[in-house]
Amino acid sequence: MGGCKDIDETTDFKPKFDQNGLITCVVSDYKTHQVLMVAYMNEQALRLSLQTGEAHYWSRSRQEIWHKGATSGNTQIIKSIQIDCDQDCLLMAVEMPVRDNGHIAACHTGRKSCFYRDLALDKNGDITLKLQH
Amino acid sequence: MGGCKDIDETTDFKPKFDQNGLITCVVSDYKTHQVLMVAYMNEQALRLSLQTGEAHYWSRSRQEIWHKGATSGNTQIIKSIQIDCDQDCLLMAVEMPVRDNGHIAACHTGRKSCFYRDLALDKNGDITLKLQH
């Protein structure tokens, strides 16, 4: 068909990588939809993820490709990847191995999700955190 | 008590805003956990969100505070906000109004979620998108 299509309806893949060549990737549990973590991909990490079916990210701290779980065993099998309306964010649904203790751990702290602290306003109007569990 | 606590266990709120003063905010449906959108908050947007109980973001395109739904009616009532292990990302669970057509619309395209296109590799190894539905 051709012609111009708005970025939010096109099926052309036109990812907006940021000034560091990265795109935000929200990672969710493919069964429960729970958000597990947020990481970043560059073009190579995205291609490796699609080609291998396992999550690869760009480690901003180590400045290198990060094959998630390569050392910890907490790999992420990719079930689907979606891109958002303005093509500057990815959502990836993954399956993770259940460890010996019965848990799934996407977070380096051993928790299933990196999001385990709730924001709350205290009496003084200051923002504090509450650990879940 | 007291003393130094690692960033991933502390209950001190020490958000890492980026060089533009923004923090990424993943927005999910509080019932189904479906990821609806990803937006950005500055300190003022976060405070307004906590004080009013309705989602406020920083619009990067308009460079102003964005009270989600103020014009469209698609407001977001905040049920919870979590911060991740390294305090550089928020996860916000929200309730949204069901519109006359029975739908919920977090996306400006009228869809429930901004993530409605799947990535796929075509026969040539190129990445293409497939619209859902």
Side-chain angles (χ1 to χ4, degrees):
Chain A
M1 301 302 285
C4 286
K5 275 184 151 187
D6 204 43
I7 188 77
D8 55 16
E9 295 294 339
T10 184
T11 53
D12 293 340
F13 181 59
K14 294 178 176 177
K16 290 182 199 155
F17 293 101
D18 69 12
Q19 68 273 20
N20 297 314
L22 301 179
I23 191 166
T24 303
C25 182
V26 180
V27 185
S28 69
D29 181 304
Y30 83 110
K31 278 189 182 167
T32 66
H33 304 306
Q34 180 184 7
V35 174
L36 301 174
M37 55 184 275
V38 170
Y40 300 86
M41 287 182 176
N42 61 5
E43 199 166 355
Q44 186 191 1
L46 176 58
R47 185 156 290 280
L48 283 169
S49 295
L50 283 164
Q51 288 173 341
T52 65
E54 293 197 359
H56 290 69
Y57 304 108
W58 178 255
S59 169
R60 295 178 303 171
S61 56
R62 297 193 304 271
Q63 290 284 302
E64 62 182 21
I65 292 285
W66 166 32
H67 177 195
K68 171 75 176 165
T71 52
S72 69
N74 292 314
T75 48
Q76 296 178 330
I77 308 298
I78 299 169
K79 296 293 188 174
S80 68
I81 308 180
Q82 280 119 39
I83 196 160
D84 72 347
C85 48
D86 60 356
Q87 299 209 30
D88 69 355
C89 190
L90 299 171
L91 172 60
M92 188 162 72
V94 302
E95 179 176 18
M96 295 193 64
V98 179
R99 308 314 303 255
D100 291 340
N101 59 8
H103 287 118
I104 289 169
C107 182
H108 77 286
T109 64
R111 295 173 174 88
K112 179 173 183 181
S113 168
C114 294
F115 296 92
Y116 51 83
R117 285 177 293 191
D118 287 293
L119 268 66
L121 281 179
D122 69 12
K123 293 171 185 171
N124 300 320
D126 294 323
I127 301 171
T128 59
L129 300 180
K130 284 187 185 176
L131 275 162
Q132 294 179 338
H133 308 299
Chain B
M1 307 296 288
C4 287
K5 273 183 151 190
D6 205 41
I7 189 76
D8 56 15
E9 295 294 338
T10 183
T11 54
D12 293 342
F13 181 60
K14 294 179 177 178
K16 290 182 198 156
F17 293 103
D18 69 12
Q19 68 274 20
N20 297 313
L22 302 178
I23 191 166
T24 303
C25 182
V26 180
V27 186
S28 69
D29 181 303
Y30 83 110
K31 278 189 182 169
T32 65
H33 303 305
Q34 181 184 7
V35 174
L36 302 174
M37 55 184 275
V38 170
Y40 300 87
M41 290 183 174
N42 61 6
E43 198 165 357
Q44 186 191 2
L46 176 58
R47 185 156 288 281
L48 283 167
S49 296
L50 283 164
Q51 287 172 343
T52 65
E54 293 197 359
H56 290 69
Y57 304 109
W58 178 255
S59 169
R60 295 178 303 171
S61 55
R62 297 194 304 274
Q63 289 285 302
E64 62 181 21
I65 290 285
W66 166 32
H67 178 193
K68 172 75 177 167
T71 54
S72 69
N74 291 314
T75 47
Q76 296 178 331
I77 308 298
I78 299 169
K79 296 292 188 175
S80 68
I81 308 180
Q82 279 121 38
I83 197 161
D84 72 346
C85 48
D86 60 355
Q87 298 210 31
D88 69 355
C89 189
L90 299 171
L91 172 61
M92 190 162 71
V94 302
E95 179 175 18
M96 294 194 65
V98 179
R99 308 315 302 254
D100 291 343
N101 59 8
H103 287 119
I104 289 170
C107 183
H108 76 284
T109 64
R111 295 175 174 86
K112 180 173 182 181
S113 168
C114 296
F115 296 92
Y116 50 83
R117 285 177 294 192
D118 286 293
L119 269 65
L121 281 180
D122 69 13
K123 293 172 186 172
N124 300 320
D126 294 324
I127 301 171
T128 59
L129 301 179
K130 285 188 184 174
L131 275 161
Q132 295 178 338
H133 306 301

